[in-house]
């Protein structure tokens, strides 16, 4: 007989599989699969990595297909203050958010660190 704890572990493993697939696909896009990463200098002269939008869309579509196999949907939200993308794993049947990657606490921490670094290096002309 299947215990409730076994079902909870199965759900967590399924969510981790979706998250790991997403992380792997984005990492592959960032590495420049088929030359999709463009190096362009920013205002300071240091190179800035930009991902080709088409490659990113393909990667996200592929991650969504994997999520659907596990009865999950993925929502992507750009957090501009933290300069990252937060992924929400959503249960397809009831629309409930199961997990956020990275968690809200991490996003808030990154935002605060960016604020502190901005204040630290803010130089008046």
């Amino acid at each position: 007989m299947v215990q409730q704890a076994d079902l909870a572990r199965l759900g967590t493993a399924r969510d981790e599989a979706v998250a790991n697939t997403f992380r792997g696909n984005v990492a592959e896009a960032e590495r420049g699969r088929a030359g999709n990463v463009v190096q362009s200098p920013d205002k300071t002269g240091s190179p800035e990595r930009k991902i080709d939008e088409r490659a990113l869309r393909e990667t996200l579509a592929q991650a969504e297909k994997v999520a659907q196999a596990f009865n999950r949907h993925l929502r992507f939200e750009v957090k501009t203050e933290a300069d990252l993308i937060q992924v929400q794993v959503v249960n397809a049947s009831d629309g409930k958010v199961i997990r956020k990657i990275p968690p809200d606490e991490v996003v808030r921490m990154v935002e605060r660190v960016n604020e502190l670094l901005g204040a630290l290096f803010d130089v008046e002309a």
Side-chain angles (χ1 to χ4, degrees), residues 1-15 72:
M1 180 170 212
V2 177
Q3 300 292 324
Q4 189 69 16
D6 294 332
L7 290 175
R9 278 194 296 274
L10 178 62
T12 301
R14 177 178 50 204
D15 295 341
R72 302 287 193 251

Side-chain angles (χ1 to χ4, degrees), residues 77-86 102-120:
E77 187 176 342
V78 177
K79 301 290 189 172
T80 55
E81 292 296 319
D83 195 28
L84 55 82
I85 297 173
Q86 185 179 49
D104 288 334
E105 296 82 15
V106 172
V107 173
R108 283 193 296 272
M109 181 190 70
V110 171
E111 289 172 349
R112 288 185 184 129
V113 167
N114 287 345
E115 285 177 26
L116 289 172
L117 288 174
L120 182 65

